[in-house]
Amino acid sequence: MAEAVVCFVAEGLEEFVSRNGEYLSEIRDQVQLALTELQLMRSFAKFVDRRQGDDVEASSWVAIIRDAAYDLEVIVETYALKVVLRRKGVIQSAMKRYACIFIDRIRVRKIESIICDITNTISELRLSLQTNKIEVLIPTYLPPRDTEHHPHPIVGLGAEVEKLVRQLLEDENRVVSIWGMGGIGKTTLAKEVYHHNAVRRHFDCFAWVCISHQFEARRVLEEILVQFISPTYEQREEIASMWDDEIVDKLFFLQREKRCLVVMDDIWRIDSWHNLQVAFPTYEATGSKILLTTRNREVASADGNGFIFECYPLSVNESWELFENIAFFGRNDRGSEIFGKMKELGVDMIRHCKGLPIAIVALAGLLVRKKTLDEWNTVFKNIFENSRDIIGEYVGVRGMLAMSYDDLPYYLKPCFLYLGQFPEDLEIPAKELTQLWIAEGFISLAQQKQRLLATVEDVAYNCLSELVERHIVQVGKRGSVRKIKTCRMHDLMRDLCLWKAEEENFLQIVNFSNIAHKPTGKVRRLALYFDENDFELVSSRSESLDHVRSLLFFGPKNWIPKSTTYILSTFKDLKFLRVLKVEYMVKEVRLPTEIGNMLCLRFLSLRKSNIIWLPPSLGNLICLQTLNLDFCHSNDRTPIIPNVIWKMEQLRHLYLLYYSSSTILRLSNLCNLQTLSCVSSEFCVMSDLTKLTNLRKLGIQLSRPIQNLEELLRSANSTLNRIQSLFVKNDVGVNSQEEVMQIVLSCCRIYKLKLYGPIKELSTDPQHYPNLTKLSLCKCHLKDDQMAILEKLPNLRILLLQYLSFQESTETLVCSRGGFLRLETLSLEYLTTMEEWRIEKGAMPSLLQLGIHCCHGLKTVPHGLVYINSLREFTISRMPRTFYSRLQKGGEDFYIVQHVPSLVLGDVHEE
């Protein structure tokens, strides 16, 4: 990590100095000398990293390099930013000005002295390494490969899947346990069973929950109930207010009335199972089943558990099949002599994986980028060295995973270690993750230029793709254009991540359910975990936290802390933060003015928190790149945002929702802005949008009519042409429905479009939306003939038709022959007036997923579904009981859906 720290600090500082050089004039020479020493040190850092695992001296070198680089970064940034703010401030009186000049000269000399000390530290270590004739290793970039078609084969599971499916469908055992050591493929096997066609058709309700080391039974049971019934917003609030016993009773009743399948993934302890067991009728003859995975034999064989399936390591042939499909992916020299020797090495290497899929995949992901026999031989030698050091249950596994980490190029190592901050089993949003990487300085303009990409966001996404390609990070979900939407890590890979992060002093995690666990040492990045029963929190006033650059709070959603004292004191004490993420606080909070002291802050997220007041000092945060003020609000108290956002000229992503302002918010200065969601026409000047030439995602809330809209749209033509995602919310009503379509038609290259509120009509020419991939409509009050326009959209893949998408008088919807040729996902939600839906033969030939929710007037599914052979998943919820009975086996409409592999019938709407 010495190489990584030196590189991203040096590159980040060079960018900072080039952008803010005028504010560093008094210390320019000292800064330049320090940067030169950092660049010279970069040549030795890779060697130091390689030596770190071998001796204590190398670990000491790493610590010296790392701390010196970080300290230089902090001192230069904070000095320059204070100069910026002082020069932009109000002119002081003559006496005060002379006093400030005198004080500033003293401060400058002190800063110069500190920088000189740091420079000398780096220089002395570099000369020492050079004297010892340390080899110089020049880092290189390898462009990431395309991962879209990279194989992720499942081998050796066919018979096991079928056996488990029979147990769930035919056997009387209420609980089926999959038991085995970590990394052996329990979760993969459970997923295959969970998504099996026969299983999806047999059960009515499904839920999948992950049970981590530290879990709360209440939250797990609540999540199962939510997945069972697909509740409305009002029902979710009702569930949140239930007593624990009420949730248990509700789950118990559902499992008696319906065939429910619950997967509990990765239960560690027997007491965890006993805490959850009370909600499940494990001793009654019901059609509901539980499938659990565990590393603990005691859990698998607990009282009340039925069939136990033990996972065994892959056979030699299965191991080779999995390895070969990844390690030799894309090779065109099969049959050559070199290929044959590599194959021999591969066979020898996978023996050390002991048949564990995670080790095999990690090894193959490492070797897929090694193209020569010498490179394969080097990995082979390293395997023998690592194998000698590993003992216990995971012989060879930790060594394989560690080699995957060691093989990462320097620019990926901090990106990987950063993932360790996120809680176990969490699906991490890719967009937020890449924004955090950029804010931390892991992604630089140098990488952007070298890879010839448009933005640093593109570079960051490519880094995530490369971690996926190396099988270090797993894809959770993909979006409408197949980009990674969420990602996650296997438990063993996360264990490696935390081990390496601790070894490198990269980050620390403090879990306040364990009050004895306090931050120690010189902490740079800190993640704090809370639950509803958080103890009196430890004070943040500690010397060990003076160096914190990143602080992430992780609590449950709708978290109401007993006290916000600790959180608010954070704003006063930690002045060098680059990242602050505090979300889901529903207790009313007034943001303290001291937040304006965090001059280095680049990422601030207060998403879904009940912030009732923001101070004007927020304008001091001139380095902010991401600002998320997507607040929740209670008691109709809308937060007032001061008119200071215009000062944040580096801002790239701005999230606003449900806000007001005492004055009109200026935005025209934000020329770097890529995301603006959601700007109100009442509190912002819409003409400012013409200056935002880098916008890619735009949300507009029409809270009052826009003056001179046509003229504004003409002047904003070049800006709007770059918009890829557009959301327009019409709060004015029918008087602004024409304005909505004028805005939409001006954004001619959008991929995603969401419209909320009345619109006059869609353009009859589908070529106005050539790239449109995802469309969401709600309260648009379209006429039923507009369906004929929707079905002609040439590239539409996802369509969400929600409450009052069509007029209340619309009783029939028709999908005609040849319509929706590329549509893959269709969801109909709360179309309560729709009584008939007709699908003609030849419509929607590519449909994969279909959902019908709360369409209470619909009497039956359309007969035309019988022609859609591509349909894989059909989910129905909150529909009348008669609707369900027609679809069940023996029902009059069963023939229409019997070809669909996965038919999920959710909670019934009781009239």
Side-chain angles (χ1 to χ4, degrees):
M1 271 292 290
E3 180 192 18
V5 172
V6 168
C7 288
F8 71 71
V9 168
E11 290 170 358
L13 272 179
E14 284 178 349
E15 293 171 22
F16 185 84
V17 169
S18 65
R19 193 169 58 244
N20 300 282
E22 62 179 298
Y23 306 114
L24 293 165
S25 57
E26 294 173 305
I27 60 170
R28 180 183 289 118
D29 293 342
Q30 287 76 16
V31 171
Q32 195 55 57
L33 182 59
L35 276 174
T36 301
E37 282 296 338
L38 265 187
Q39 291 291 7
L40 292 171
M41 175 57 77
R42 180 176 179 176
S43 303
F44 299 94
K46 192 168 187 177
F47 171 82
V48 172
D49 281 338
R50 293 174 64 181
R51 284 277 302 275
Q52 186 179 3
D54 299 333
D55 57 56
V56 177
E57 186 180 23
S59 297
S60 176
W61 293 340
V62 169
I64 293 171
I65 297 170
R66 181 180 59 229
D67 289 344
Y70 281 137
D71 290 345
L72 177 65
E73 180 182 56
V74 169
I75 198 70
V76 174
E77 276 191 12
T78 52
Y79 172 82
L81 294 173
K82 286 179 179 178
V83 174
V84 171
L85 291 176
R86 189 170 64 250
R87 292 189 184 179
K88 290 185 177 182
V90 178
I91 298 175
Q92 301 163 321
S93 67
M95 289 296 292
K96 286 185 178 180
R97 191 161 60 248
Y98 291 138
C100 287
I101 291 172
F102 178 73
I103 294 171
D104 285 346
R105 285 176 179 170
I106 296 175
R107 287 175 177 167
V108 168
R109 287 170 185 167
K110 185 177 179 181
I111 296 295
E112 288 176 336
S113 176
I114 294 172
I115 294 175
C116 285
D117 288 344
I118 295 171
T119 304
N120 290 336
T121 299
I122 300 172
S123 178
E124 288 170 6
L125 178 58
R126 178 180 61 81
L127 291 173
S128 174
L129 294 173
Q130 194 170 10
T131 302
N132 290 313
K133 298 182 179 179
I134 301 302
E135 62 177 309
V136 175
L137 297 167
I138 305 301
T140 58
Y141 286 107
L142 281 176
R145 294 146 50 93
D146 177 27
T147 63
E148 181 64 28
H149 304 293
H150 200 286
H152 299 274
I154 305 297
V155 299
L157 294 182
E160 288 82 354
V161 169
E162 294 302 326
K163 186 174 183 179
L164 286 167
V165 168
R166 285 195 300 273
Q167 288 293 326
L168 292 176
L169 270 54
E170 303 169 8
D171 201 273
E172 294 182 357
N173 288 314
R174 283 279 291 115
V175 181
V176 176
S177 302
I178 302 176
W179 172 69
M181 64 190 298
I184 206 165
K186 301 183 297 298
T187 300
T188 301
L189 179 57
K191 284 181 179 177
E192 290 293 303
V193 173
Y194 186 70
H195 293 289
H196 193 278
N197 292 345
V199 170
R200 303 306 289 187
R201 294 193 61 84
H202 178 79
F203 291 96
D204 303 315
C205 303
F206 297 85
W208 180 296
V209 288
C210 298
I211 314 297
S212 57
H213 281 283
Q214 296 173 339
F215 81 102
E216 297 172 40
R218 160 67 190 236
R219 288 173 61 191
V220 170
L221 297 179
E222 189 175 320
E223 177 60 26
I224 292 172
L225 181 57
V226 166
Q227 291 187 45
F228 273 174
I229 68 175
S230 301
T232 62
Y233 178 78
E234 291 75 16
Q235 288 174 315
R236 282 179 179 268
E237 289 191 326
E238 181 184 345
I239 292 171
S241 65
M242 286 181 177
W243 294 97
D244 292 358
D245 290 345
E246 291 179 293
I247 290 183
V248 167
D249 291 343
K250 179 75 171 174
L251 282 173
F252 218 91
F253 175 77
L254 272 172
Q255 291 172 93
R256 282 174 168 173
E257 293 293 306
K258 296 180 176 236
R259 289 195 296 252
C260 303
L261 174 62
V262 179
V263 177
M264 297 186 192
D265 188 31
D266 206 15
I267 300 184
W268 283 76
R269 301 183 305 274
I270 188 68
D271 60 323
S272 300
W273 166 241
H274 287 155
N275 288 337
L276 296 168
Q277 193 175 11
V278 64
F280 303 96
T282 52
Y283 296 101
E284 296 186 19
T286 70
S288 297
K289 296 289 182 77
I290 298 170
L291 178 64
L292 63 85
T293 72
T294 182
R295 307 181 193 188
N296 189 334
R297 175 75 192 200
E298 186 182 9
V299 173
S301 57
D303 292 340
N305 290 7
F307 181 77
I308 300 175
F309 182 88
E310 183 175 356
C311 283
Y312 293 98
L314 297 180
S315 67
V316 174
N317 289 338
E318 290 169 342
S319 297
W320 173 252
E321 181 182 351
L322 177 58
F323 174 83
E324 183 182 30
N325 285 339
I326 299 173
F328 295 115
F329 175 68
R331 292 190 70 97
N332 54 13
D333 60 348
R334 294 172 186 258
S336 67
E337 183 179 353
I338 295 295
F339 181 85
K341 290 181 178 179
M342 287 186 170
K343 185 174 180 179
E344 290 177 12
L345 281 174
V347 172
D348 285 339
M349 283 189 275
I350 62 173
R351 288 175 183 159
H352 295 271
C353 298
K354 307 298 182 182
L356 293 183
I358 190 171
I360 297 167
V361 167
L363 175 63
L366 186 157
L367 289 168
V368 71
R369 303 176 68 85
K370 311 293 184 185
K371 302 302 181 183
T372 68
L373 187 59
D374 286 343
E375 289 176 310
W376 277 54
N377 269 313
T378 299
V379 174
F380 181 68
K381 291 176 184 176
N382 288 337
I383 285 176
F384 278 111
E385 292 175 4
N386 284 322
S387 296
R388 288 196 297 269
D389 298 331
I390 306 298
I391 59 174
E393 181 183 15
Y394 299 108
V395 174
V397 177
R398 195 176 189 183
M400 298 295 178
L401 303 186
M403 281 196 299
S404 296
Y405 171 78
D406 292 338
D407 189 63
L408 290 176
Y410 78 86
Y411 58 88
L412 284 184
K413 286 183 177 178
C415 296
F416 170 70
L417 295 185
Y418 205 78
L419 291 162
Q421 296 182 101
F422 293 89
E424 184 181 359
D425 298 321
L426 180 71
E427 287 212 354
I428 305 166
K431 184 173 292 185
E432 181 182 86
L433 177 63
T434 54
Q435 289 171 358
L436 287 166
W437 285 348
I438 294 167
E440 288 279 3
F442 301 157
I443 312 298
S444 69
L445 290 176
Q447 289 171 276
Q448 178 187 349
K449 292 173 183 176
Q450 188 157 3
R451 295 187 179 191
L452 302 177
L453 293 170
T455 65
V456 288
E457 283 80 7
D458 295 332
V459 179
Y461 179 82
N462 273 21
C463 288
L464 177 58
S465 297
E466 190 171 346
L467 288 173
V468 168
E469 181 205 344
R470 290 171 176 269
H471 297 272
I472 288 176
V473 174
Q474 301 172 344
V475 175
K477 299 173 185 173
R478 290 188 182 270
S480 56
V481 291
R482 304 302 299 158
K483 291 189 70 174
I484 301 170
K485 192 171 184 178
T486 64
C487 63
R488 58 176 181 265
M489 280 199 298
H490 188 280
D491 288 348
L492 293 184
M493 192 62 77
R494 184 172 183 270
D495 290 343
L496 169 73
C497 184
L498 293 176
W499 168 48
K500 287 290 185 181
E502 182 179 3
E503 181 180 79
E504 302 283 358
N505 195 26
F506 185 81
L507 61 87
Q508 285 193 30
I509 296 174
V510 175
N511 194 327
F512 281 108
S513 63
N514 179 5
I515 196 167
H517 190 177
K518 299 180 181 180
T520 58
K522 187 180 280 189
V523 182
R524 301 287 181 181
R525 297 173 187 85
L526 187 60
L528 305 179
Y529 291 4
F530 298 91
D531 57 34
E532 288 94 338
N533 303 311
D534 55 299
F535 293 87
E536 187 65 31
L537 306 180
V538 298
S539 171
S540 68
R541 300 181 184 278
S542 167
E543 287 188 12
S544 63
L545 298 186
D546 289 347
H547 299 84
V548 172
R549 308 295 319 267
S550 172
L551 182 59
L552 279 65
F553 289 79
F554 292 101
K557 291 184 179 180
N558 302 322
W559 167 45
I560 306 179
K562 293 178 181 177
S563 170
T564 57
T565 303
Y566 176 83
I567 297 164
L568 298 184
S569 68
T570 296
F571 295 92
K572 301 176 183 179
D573 296 342
L574 306 179
K575 299 177 181 179
F576 303 129
L577 280 182
R578 277 189 170 185
V579 168
L580 179 59
K581 172 181 158 76
V582 189
E583 300 178 347
Y584 290 100
M585 286 192 305
V586 296
K587 188 171 184 176
E588 289 186 353
V589 174
R590 291 174 62 88
L591 218 58
T593 57
E594 287 83 0
I595 191 172
N597 295 334
M598 298 181 183
L599 302 183
C600 300
L601 206 60
R602 297 183 181 183
F603 180 101
L604 174 60
S605 178
L606 303 168
R607 188 170 65 99
K608 303 307 178 188
S609 294
N610 194 5
I611 310 296
I612 59 174
W613 184 79
L614 292 163
S617 63
L618 198 70
N620 290 349
L621 309 181
I622 58 176
C623 284
L624 269 182
Q625 298 169 348
T626 299
L627 177 59
N628 195 326
L629 302 179
D630 180 4
F631 298 136
C632 71
H633 59 102
S634 60
N635 303 322
D636 297 322
R637 295 184 64 175
T638 305
I640 297 176
I641 298 178
N643 182 25
V644 294
I645 294 177
W646 62 272
K647 299 179 181 180
M648 307 170 185
E649 296 181 2
Q650 301 304 315
L651 207 58
R652 305 174 74 85
H653 307 281
L654 175 60
Y655 302 90
L656 304 169
L657 192 62
Y658 300 118
Y659 67 93
S660 62
S661 179
S662 55
T663 60
I664 298 298
L665 297 182
R666 293 169 52 193
L667 299 174
S668 58
N669 281 28
L670 309 180
C671 58
N672 291 302
L673 206 62
Q674 296 182 25
T675 303
L676 177 56
S677 175
C678 176
V679 60
S680 167
S681 62
E682 182 176 359
F683 301 112
C684 296
V685 178
M686 290 293 103
S687 60
D688 283 356
L689 300 183
T690 63
K691 310 292 195 307
L692 310 182
T693 55
N694 285 299
L695 267 187
R696 298 293 181 271
K697 180 176 182 178
L698 174 62
I700 298 178
Q701 181 183 2
L702 291 178
S703 39
R704 70 178 182 186
I706 301 176
Q707 301 297 321
N708 303 317
L709 179 62
E710 289 187 17
E711 181 181 342
L712 188 154
L713 293 176
R714 278 196 301 272
S715 60
N717 182 59
S718 60
T719 297
L720 298 177
N721 274 342
R722 295 183 175 91
I723 302 294
Q724 298 175 353
S725 176
L726 177 66
F727 168 47
V728 184
K729 187 174 187 287
N730 181 4
D731 286 341
V732 177
V734 293
N735 292 334
S736 288
Q737 57 184 352
E738 202 164 308
E739 293 181 17
V740 174
M741 289 315 300
Q742 284 182 282
I743 294 171
V744 172
L745 292 174
S746 298
C747 303
C748 58
R749 298 183 181 178
I750 49 176
Y751 288 86
K752 299 179 184 178
L753 175 61
K754 182 176 181 179
L755 299 176
Y756 187 104
I759 58 176
K760 186 174 182 180
E761 60 182 14
L762 298 166
S763 171
T764 56
D765 185 358
Q767 296 307 314
H768 281 149
Y769 321 96
N771 301 322
L772 192 60
T773 302
K774 181 177 180 179
L775 175 62
S776 302
L777 302 176
C778 184
K779 293 188 177 181
C780 293
H781 297 275
L782 294 171
K783 296 178 181 178
D784 55 3
D785 62 358
Q786 297 287 289
M787 196 70 167
I789 297 174
L790 294 177
E791 65 185 10
K792 289 182 174 63
L793 295 173
N795 288 298
L796 192 65
R797 293 183 184 175
I798 299 175
L799 176 60
L800 280 68
L801 299 177
Q802 298 172 314
Y803 179 65
L804 288 178
S805 294
F806 293 89
Q807 294 177 349
E808 292 187 59
S809 59
T810 301
E811 298 180 353
T812 302
L813 291 181
V814 179
C815 297
S816 56
R817 181 184 182 89
F820 295 116
L821 288 177
R822 295 196 174 185
L823 194 68
E824 297 175 356
T825 300
L826 174 61
S827 182
L828 309 179
E829 303 173 8
Y830 295 95
L831 302 183
T832 52
T833 62
M834 180 178 64
E835 297 182 1
E836 182 184 11
W837 179 25
R838 296 204 303 269
I839 299 177
E840 297 179 358
K841 186 176 182 179
M844 298 187 288
S846 305
L847 193 66
L848 299 172
Q849 298 173 311
L850 173 62
I852 300 178
H853 312 284
C854 298
C855 299
H856 305 149
L858 190 62
K859 303 296 189 298
T860 180
V861 294
H863 173 270
L865 285 177
V866 298
Y867 305 120
I868 305 179
N869 296 322
S870 60
L871 189 59
R872 305 260 69 82
E873 298 177 19
F874 188 5
T875 303
I876 302 168
S877 65
R878 305 291 296 166
M879 293 294 287
R881 192 174 297 277
T882 54
F883 191 90
Y884 288 104
S885 62
R886 295 172 65 101
L887 293 172
Q888 292 171 344
K889 196 168 185 178
E892 52 192 299
D893 293 335
F894 177 71
Y895 76 98
I896 298 176
V897 296
Q898 63 181 346
H899 68 291
V900 182
S902 175
L903 177 63
V904 180
L905 304 178
D907 200 26
V908 174
H909 170 68
E910 301 293 349
E911 299 180 12

